[in-house]
Amino acid sequence: MLNGKKILLCVTGGIAVFKAAALTSKLTQKGAEVKVILSESAAKFVTPLTFQVLSKNDVYTDTFDEKNSKVVAHIDLADWADLVLIAPATANVIGKLANGIADNMLSTTCLAVTAPVYIAPAMNVHMYAHPAVQKNLQTLANYGYRFIEPGEGYLACGYVGKGRLEEPETIVDILEFETSAEKPFKGKKVVITAGPTREKIDSVRFLSNHSTGKMGYAIAEAARDFGAEVVLISGPVSLSAPTGVGMIQIESAEEMYQAVLHEFEGADLVIKSAAVADYRPKTAYDYKVKKLPGEQLLELERTKDILFELGKIKTSQVLVGFAAETDHLEEYAKGKLERKNADMIVANNVKSEGAGFGTDTNIVTIFKRNGDPIELPLLAKKDVAQRILKEALTFFKDDLNENC
Ligand code: CTP
């Protein structure tokens, strides 16, 4: 799968540079054409000659060392690459890329690249956990960079923890998977809602539910891996934003409605996995309400049913809703399919073991207008996500053969 791929390997200066030599060898053994850029500090750990011999190509270290007078090396390399891998990626190069700094051959080339860029960080455990590094990684994730997470274990600095460059074999496996995966959603925009909403009572209290967002985030990641442009509109959850996905954070049902509406026109598929509050307090106070003697009544008013509203205005968009039920699963799910003018409803009984809020697994039944319900067994949410997307794909029949 990596056969014939043009891979630009950017090596920055950390002790893990020795693994980049093995990586070069493994990538070329897979049939990839590899060109290497070494940062100045990387060249202090392993000489360019090592990479030149292993890649059977020139190695680049200096922006002004133009090897071919007919081209500008950093632009030529950037245009040449099908894929860029920065391994090991130090905190320094991560900081530079996050801030658009181009002060050497490696960072200048990376800034000119339009191909997918994979970053494999390697550094001391405390450096990796530092908020500045984490913020830079998040910035890069928002720009669409992909990551090969560092492993945990013994670090050259003597610490044990997260920060070790992933093993070359694993990096090659990940790249093979990424480049071989089906991209049936290429060119499609998928909007996903996830998590709970919070409906304000006063400045310190709200109404909400137990949704953790795990199902919606798994769908966002699967849609991204299937090649979609993904927008994830999420209520407050404790999950990290998936890389390569556009994130919109909201709190209330009304904010979710506005965000979805804003994204709706250009969307091909909308998956509403969020657990949206059906009611909100009629009055929301901007101060902390003091307790009074006796009982209190909280007056509630209806929020907008977002799926229902989208069902009214949809044109070519495929609409997928969820139905979290405790009984009469089929009857309620089919009712929602009709009433909300959805194309598909993914229903689950939240009382079943291994299904529902907070779990890493789910048991769902998929209802469409035509055909029998599709009952899936207990599956990891990641696998449920893929099945939902594959079912949704049947609504784009014309595109099926093109991209699969
Ligand atoms: N939904 C929505 N807006 C709401 C409530 C629900 O868009 N205000 C969406 C959910 O995201 C989900 C689907 O509608 O995709 C069904 O949600 P669910 O909570 O199961 O059902 P409700 O429509 O709220 O109906 P009920 O409370 O009667 O089960």
Side-chain angles (χ1 to χ4, degrees), residues 272-274 276-278 303-307 321-325 336 340:
K272 290 235 56 260
S273 71
V276 188
D278 292 319
T303 56
K304 284 196 194 74
D305 185 327
I306 305 169
L307 189 57
F322 269 68
E325 309 293 349
K336 286 173 192 177
K340 304 195 185 201

Side-chain angles (χ1 to χ4, degrees), residues 1-3 5 30 176-177 179-180:
M1 285 155 279
L2 292 174
N3 195 16
K5 280 259 174 308
K30 292 279 178 186
E176 280 199 310
F177 173 78
T179 51
S180 70

Side-chain angles (χ1 to χ4, degrees), residues 9 14 35 39 42 45 51 56 74 109 131 138-139 146 160 178 223 229 231 243 286 316 373 380 383 392 395:
L9 176 62
K35 291 191 180 177
S39 73
F45 287 93
F51 290 95
K56 300 187 180 51
H74 64 277
T109 307
Q138 189 55 57
T139 303
R146 306 278 182 90
V160 174
E178 295 269 337
E229 176 201 342
V231 178
T243 58
D286 278 330
S316 59
D383 296 320
F395 292 95

Side-chain angles (χ1 to χ4, degrees), residues 137-154:
L137 289 169
Q138 189 55 57
T139 303
L140 292 175
N142 294 343
Y143 291 155
Y145 287 74
R146 306 278 182 90
F147 296 91
I148 298 172
E149 293 258 315
E152 297 210 17
Y154 178 77

